[in-house]
Amino acid sequence: MKVVRLRAGKERSLLRRHPWIFESAIAKGGGDAGETVRVESDQGQFLGWAAFSPASKIRARVWSFDEAQRIDASFFTAACARAVQARTRFDIPSNAMRLVHGESDGLPGLIVDRYGDTLVAQFASSGVERWKEAIADALLAATGLHKLYERSDASSRALEGLPEVTGWLRGQGEVELLLQEHDWQLAVNIADGHKTGFYLDQRDSRKRFSDYARRLRFERVLNCYCYTGGFTVAALTGGATHVTSIDSSGPALEKAAANVALNGFDAGRVSFMDADVNASLRQFIDQGRSFDAIVLDPPKFAPTVAHAERAARAYKDINRLAFKLLEPGGVLFTYSCSGGISADLFHKIVASAGCDAGVDGYIHERMGGAPDHPMTVNFPEGEYLKGLVVMRK
């Protein structure tokens, strides 16, 4: 077994059971891509068994802090079974859910979502890539399913020195699937949709937006970065009179229109715009338009903390424009899915945007990912999605 020895003082995070070991923390030692190494302090104290990644700044990810643990196929069988079992204790009103959420489930770099009878997996680190076949077998054993599609095409693969890989890993089947969520249905494509096919992490936020639409009787709703129309369908289900939905992807808008039709809503209640969100918001201000509710759910502006300053400016700009378009008493659902933007920083960005817009508001709720995308005590970085519900005064 190869050994990785840390620099003095760099063992503290591992003693708190944080699973990441950065390149700068290592004094000596290493291994092949994905190889299990023994991690020790500068004094030789055992700290954990980790998957080594020679290409990544996160040079090793811990599998186990138990010195007696063997990292073999049975380890992954047990870990996948625990993750799947945990979801039976969550409230998930859908036939689609996240079954494995990387570090939060003790499987760093592994994302697994279930869509009905089909699993979709992303192998984003050298460790899970090395154990891919064993993990695939473990997932099917834990779920009793037979189809597993691989979507290892996330940009983080490049940071690990891994090529993009997509396609059926186990079994064969349709890639166009139907997701049942709350009171509506949504069509997803696991081969070319974002992430593993859809943004399952916003499931509960879509329901809350639908509830607000029903309670406050929204008439004019603006859904920015609408993708395939999840928040649009939620607003219509809640009784919104009209929803303007903006995205810069024509194919995504076509799917959004199809989802509106799938749920039986009149196409006249929705306007779709293939356009840039910032430019559209400015145009609406010039036109004197306003909205009872606005959703801002942009893509990841800051993948790391290094990108936070530039991303903060982008988040502030779109929120400032949205505040200007919001009717008094109107509601803004605003989100950041950037890991480099903390919940506290995001709150400050939105507050600053409101000040610049000359708008004050009540923060009704703080939103996060659905419970099947858990953050754990030992891995707070799992809280990548954060949101605020603000009612304009």
Side-chain angles (χ1 to χ4, degrees):
M1 182 65 64
K2 294 178 181 177
V3 176
V4 166
R5 185 68 63 90
L6 301 188
R7 300 181 188 278
K10 296 299 183 179
E11 74 281 358
R12 293 168 187 160
S13 64
L14 274 77
L15 292 174
R16 295 194 300 269
R17 294 186 170 245
H18 192 284
W20 287 355
I21 303 168
F22 288 91
E23 177 188 14
S24 59
I26 296 177
K28 63 180 180 180
D32 297 331
E35 184 176 5
T36 299
V37 296
R38 177 187 173 95
V39 182
E40 296 179 350
S41 71
D42 68 310
Q43 299 296 314
Q45 174 191 4
F46 172 82
L47 297 171
W49 301 111
F52 195 77
S53 179
S56 176
K57 292 294 184 182
I58 305 176
R59 194 51 55 95
R61 291 173 168 84
V62 177
W63 294 125
S64 174
F65 297 94
D66 179 2
E67 190 171 5
Q69 177 70 61
R70 289 177 58 86
I71 308 303
D72 53 18
S74 63
F75 168 83
F76 294 99
T77 298
C80 289
R82 282 195 301 271
V84 171
Q85 174 61 29
R87 272 58 185 176
T88 66
R89 301 179 63 84
F90 299 157
D91 181 16
I92 306 175
S94 176
N95 67 342
M97 67 194 71
R98 176 147 298 180
L99 294 182
V100 179
H101 192 53
E103 284 81 350
S104 295
D105 285 301
L107 293 165
L110 180 65
I111 295 297
V112 183
D113 290 337
R114 176 175 183 166
Y115 295 91
D117 65 354
T118 303
L119 299 179
V120 184
Q122 287 184 347
F123 298 84
S125 68
S126 294
V128 291
E129 176 71 18
R130 190 180 182 103
W131 287 97
K132 183 186 294 184
E133 297 301 320
I135 290 171
D137 291 340
L139 289 169
L140 297 184
T143 59
L145 301 179
H146 305 285
K147 293 182 290 185
L148 172 59
Y149 194 87
E150 182 175 2
R151 279 294 304 273
S152 297
D153 54 357
S155 60
S156 56
R157 292 267 298 185
L159 301 177
E160 295 279 315
L162 299 172
E164 293 184 3
V165 181
T166 61
W168 289 102
L169 189 57
R170 294 287 189 275
Q172 295 284 332
E174 298 293 330
V175 295
E176 291 279 355
L177 304 175
L178 197 62
L179 180 159
Q180 179 71 45
E181 178 183 279
H182 301 296
D183 299 326
W184 52 81
Q185 294 179 310
L186 298 165
V188 301
N189 187 305
I190 60 173
D192 64 16
H194 291 181
K195 302 179 83 170
T196 64
F198 197 61
Y199 293 97
L200 299 178
D201 50 3
Q202 288 283 36
R203 181 192 313 114
D204 290 355
S205 284
R206 286 188 285 270
K207 179 60 165 63
R208 292 299 293 144
F209 192 63
S210 181
D211 292 344
Y212 272 77
R214 181 174 292 107
R215 182 169 59 84
L216 298 179
R217 299 181 180 179
F218 295 155
E219 293 185 4
R220 302 176 308 282
V221 173
L222 176 60
N223 182 15
C224 300
Y225 311 98
C226 71
Y227 187 44
T228 57
F231 278 102
T232 299
V233 170
L236 293 170
T237 303
T241 304
H242 188 273
V243 183
T244 301
S245 301
I246 308 175
D247 202 278
S248 59
S249 168
L253 291 172
E254 291 177 5
K255 293 177 180 178
N259 278 327
V260 169
L262 175 66
N263 288 275
F265 295 117
D266 183 351
R269 293 174 62 190
V270 187
S271 298
F272 292 104
M273 295 177 58
D274 185 349
D276 176 77
V277 167
N278 289 59
S280 298
L281 295 178
R282 288 183 168 86
Q283 179 184 5
F284 292 158
I285 291 172
D286 291 341
Q287 294 171 345
R289 295 182 64 178
S290 62
F291 298 90
D292 301 312
I294 300 175
V295 178
L296 292 177
D297 188 19
K300 188 185 296 183
F301 289 163
T304 68
V305 174
H307 299 85
E309 183 176 348
R310 184 176 63 184
R313 291 194 295 270
Y315 283 120
K316 180 178 177 180
D317 194 36
I318 59 172
N319 279 277
R320 178 181 61 83
L321 296 171
F323 274 126
K324 286 179 173 290
L325 289 166
L326 200 61
E327 282 280 352
V331 179
L332 171 65
F333 274 59
T334 182
Y335 297 92
S336 167
C337 64
S338 297
I341 301 291
S342 67
D344 180 59
L345 176 57
F346 185 61
H347 186 163
K348 291 176 181 177
I349 291 168
V350 174
S352 181
C355 288
D356 283 6
V359 170
D360 195 6
Y362 301 105
I363 295 179
H364 270 215
E365 297 186 53
R366 295 179 181 272
M367 307 299 290
D372 48 330
H373 297 64
M375 173 184 66
T376 64
V377 172
N378 296 327
F379 189 69
E381 291 86 347
E383 189 184 19
Y384 67 96
L385 178 63
K386 67 285 299 182
L388 294 172
V389 179
V390 185
M391 177 178 288
R392 178 174 175 173
K393 285 187 176 181

